Amino acid sequence: MTDSLWWRSAAVYQVYVRSFADCDGDGIGDLAGIRSRLPYLRDLGVDALWLTPFYASPMVDGGYDVADYRRVDPAFGDLDDFDAMIADAHAAGLRIIVDVVPNHTSSAHPWFLAALAAAPGSTERERYLFRDGRGPDGAEPPNDWQSIFGGPAWTRVEDGQWYLHLFDPAQPDLNWRNPEVRAEFEDVLRFWLDRGVDGFRIDVAHGMIKAEGLPDVGPVPGGRQIGLLGKARLPYFDQDEVHEIYRAWRPILDSYPGDRMAVAEAWAETPQRLARYIGPDELHQAFNFDFLDATFTADSFRKVIDGSLAEADLVGAPTTWVLSNHDKPRHVTRYGDGPAGLHRARAAALLMLALPGSAYLYQGEELGLPEVLDLPDECRQDPAFPRTGESRDGCRVPVPWSGTAPPFGFGPEGGAPAWLPAPATWREYTVEAQTGDPGSTLELYRAALRVRRDQPALRDGTLRWLEAEPDVLAFVREGDDGSAIACVVNLSGAPVTVPVAGRPLVASAPLDASGSVTHATPAVLAPETAVWLELSSVG
Ligand code: BGC
């Protein structure tokens, strides 16, 4: 990897800290656990890690409720553990991106405690969005906004005022029109940049500014405002003024050496509006959730790929790709679960890793983990679960590392049970069980990431589509040095003719009955299978 603009084509591995590796035996993953697994991540072949929040937090929303932005939660370690982890990561050639959660604090944050103790109209309340209610006694919420986790987005406090929380009541929204809030977060960015972080993932990056006057949304189809995300502009998302914040953040990032970057978790109604977050005076990247939302069909993927590349062209920025994260059911399960879902997920991984731009991988997808659908209700910790019946816990089950019984080496022998139980069937998914097995998903990811790293065509090359049969995606990445790699994905249920001749480098399933992936040009590609071919002459 060259040092210049590393993030443009990086493979970024998302570490959901609570569920990655538990070093101290309390059943919760921690920074020392990440540090102990850095050799695994280096050998996997990723370029950077994105760590979900590890800051002091009551953990109502898995750490996305921050009580102190400059302190590590004791469950995850301390700042010394962070410093040791980042030093080792950098020594291993891995960059570190941390989450910043600016839309809301925890209700346990000293600012919110001070706001509760202060009177309506006080400077303490001005850091948040406190309002009087509607109706004769102010007993109705100030407007009709709904929480993304279900129920009204307002909670009433003792003196009768209400405060806004787009998420859980334990996550009060900050008032980003208050200069003190802006100054505080600029300082938080500097705090972590000084400690050496290479970038930030900005949580709810489109949410910090609310429309003046906090107008009602009005009636919505289906009754749930969340359903409009990304499809219509809500008065609490994607307001023009939010861009001022990023125009202030960018010079801070640019003032540090070494290409520090920021990636937005932003949703907007059109690709054009999403593109406004990206550029030389704002953020470097935004997540591309359309790829995650695509169905496993050639048409769906092709539409998203073409749309995303066109959107990236609008701003001269590389695009990003993601198949799974800590908020969505794992893609093995979305694609049908069981062996069929895994077979498709492996093909989708090769498609994603062959596309131009950066790829965000979610921990455990390299093991082919499915969503855990049958977690006992009493284990579920997602705050949305009691209100909506939907829970994101099934994709947050701790990573299985080794052994034959839960928690599969997640923590030390004799430690506390993992905070979420892994199913007994995960014995076949452990890192230990898959290492060295050429048919395993782990070895597929390792091979693909190695090729992606070694081949300039896959890192910086242009993309050109090839003619192919229906339900087949075929394209060539061509590097400046004349190298060319084709990616062919058969999304149909029948074998298809491979439209280009080349030497197979990686395939998501065996290319012939012998199980080989390294024989000469395959003539046909099995159903729902992907292959990368090194081309001697471009077809
Ligand atoms: C995070 C979620 C979190 C929410 C509120 C999202 O963008 O990815 O996990 O619940 O923000 O902070």
Side-chain angles (χ1 to χ4, degrees):
M1 181 174 52
T2 62
D3 259 8
S4 116
L5 304 185
W6 60 274
W7 43 269
R8 292 182 72 94
S9 60
V12 183
Y13 184 96
Q14 181 190 351
V15 176
Y16 190 70
V17 179
R18 284 206 295 174
S19 303
F20 187 65
D22 169 21
C23 196
D24 62 7
D26 62 357
I28 298 168
D30 44 45
L31 296 176
I34 298 172
R35 188 177 173 209
S36 74
R37 298 293 183 180
L38 290 172
Y40 167 78
L41 296 164
R42 181 202 53 213
D43 294 348
L44 178 61
V46 295
D47 303 302
L49 311 182
W50 150 32
L51 311 187
T52 54
F54 50 82
Y55 316 111
S57 165
M59 298 291 157
V60 171
D61 186 21
Y64 282 95
D65 47 320
V66 181
D68 185 340
Y69 289 85
R70 297 176 186 80
R71 203 158 62 83
V72 174
D73 193 273
F76 300 134
D78 58 22
L79 280 175
D80 289 343
D81 292 321
F82 180 82
D83 292 343
M85 186 274 305
I86 197 169
D88 282 8
H90 284 161
L94 294 164
R95 290 187 159 90
I96 298 289
I97 296 172
V98 299
D99 232 298
V100 55
V101 188
N103 180 66
H104 43 265
T105 68
S106 159
S107 53
H109 190 286
W111 275 5
F112 194 70
L113 298 177
L116 289 183
S122 57
T123 51
E124 287 84 355
R125 290 218 172 165
E126 266 306 295
R127 295 173 181 139
Y128 293 91
L129 293 160
F130 280 85
R131 294 289 183 275
D132 293 330
R134 296 202 278 211
D137 313 319
E140 303 287 321
N143 68 21
D144 68 354
W145 296 2
Q146 290 170 18
S147 155
I148 285 140
F149 291 160
W154 295 91
T155 289
R156 200 168 194 197
V157 300
E158 261 180 28
D159 57 37
Q161 274 210 312
W162 298 74
Y163 69 90
L164 179 72
H165 52 86
L166 290 183
F167 294 88
D168 192 84
Q171 294 166 298
D173 279 53
L174 285 162
N175 171 15
W176 271 86
R177 292 200 172 89
N178 182 336
E180 204 187 343
V181 170
R182 294 195 184 208
E184 167 67 1
F185 275 88
E186 291 175 11
D187 194 65
V188 166
L189 295 184
R190 287 198 186 89
F191 179 87
W192 292 102
L193 289 164
D194 287 341
R195 296 199 103 83
V197 304
D198 300 283
F200 297 99
R201 177 264 190 191
I202 303 165
D203 189 59
V204 200
H206 56 312
M208 283 116 91
I209 295 289
K210 280 74 182 175
E212 288 284 6
L214 310 182
D216 279 342
V217 171
V220 295
R224 229 183 127 193
Q225 291 169 11
I226 177 79
L228 295 185
L229 262 183
K231 297 194 185 73
R233 191 145 5 123
L234 293 162
Y236 44 83
F237 282 150
D238 193 29
Q239 302 297 306
D240 289 342
E241 227 180 299
V242 80
H243 295 281
E244 282 174 16
I245 298 169
Y246 302 126
R247 286 195 284 269
W249 285 13
R250 182 59 179 260
I252 298 174
L253 288 160
D254 287 348
S255 72
Y256 283 79
D259 294 322
R260 316 290 175 112
M261 57 78 79
V263 54
E265 185 219 18
W267 299 79
E269 61 195 305
T270 61
Q272 287 77 6
R273 284 199 70 88
L274 188 64
R276 297 172 76 213
Y277 289 79
I278 307 165
D281 63 344
E282 292 204 26
L283 304 174
H284 301 72
Q285 295 185 325
F287 286 129
N288 176 7
F289 294 114
D290 290 345
F291 193 67
L292 185 152
D293 285 337
T295 55
F296 191 82
T297 60
D299 282 352
S300 178
F301 278 128
R302 174 76 193 252
K303 198 163 152 246
V304 171
I305 294 167
D306 283 340
S308 308
L309 294 175
E311 170 199 320
D313 274 354
L314 286 176
V315 283
T319 188
T320 63
W321 311 102
V322 59
L323 286 168
S324 279
N325 64 28
H326 66 296
D327 289 331
K328 298 284 182 181
R330 286 186 177 275
H331 58 279
V332 166
T333 301
R334 294 202 317 269
Y335 294 156
D337 216 25
L342 180 59
H343 185 77
R344 294 182 187 126
R346 290 166 56 103
L350 286 196
L351 171 62
M352 173 170 78
L353 292 172
L355 291 169
S358 47
Y360 283 79
L361 312 177
Y362 178 46
Q363 68 182 34
E365 77 171 71
E366 80 279 19
L367 304 175
L369 293 184
E371 184 79 359
V372 180
L373 298 169
D374 55 358
L375 281 172
D377 284 357
E378 62 275 16
C379 294
R380 294 185 187 267
Q381 294 197 11
D382 186 341
F385 183 59
R387 288 186 219 110
T388 62
E390 287 164 23
S391 122
R392 298 165 292 174
D393 297 290
C395 63
R396 298 175 176 180
V397 172
V399 169
W401 292 95
S402 57
T404 53
F408 301 111
F410 170 63
E413 286 286 323
W419 72 278
L420 278 176
T425 48
W426 276 20
R427 74 177 74 82
E428 66 199 65
Y429 291 101
T430 65
V431 170
E432 184 180 52
Q434 297 196 38
T435 296
D437 171 358
S440 72
T441 302
L442 176 56
E443 293 300 346
L444 173 70
Y445 269 76
R446 283 181 175 152
L449 288 164
R450 194 178 319 118
V451 174
R452 181 181 157 101
R453 201 171 247 226
D454 291 348
Q455 296 282 349
L458 284 182
R459 293 205 76 100
D460 308 314
T462 53
L463 179 147
R464 184 165 58 84
W465 290 103
L466 300 174
E467 288 289 323
E469 293 178 37
D471 299 326
V472 176
L473 292 177
F475 57 85
V476 188
R477 301 283 312 278
E478 287 156 316
D480 282 349
D481 61 349
S483 63
I485 309 272
C487 173
V488 183
V489 192
N490 175 9
L491 292 121
S492 77
V496 297
T497 307
V498 176
V500 62
R503 184 174 71 89
L505 296 173
V506 199
S508 66
L511 293 176
D512 67 16
S514 74
S516 162
V517 292
T518 53
H519 72 13
T521 302
V524 292
L525 193 57
E528 301 181 329
T529 298
V531 64
W532 292 356
L533 303 162
E534 183 173 30
L535 306 188
S536 36
S537 61
V538 175

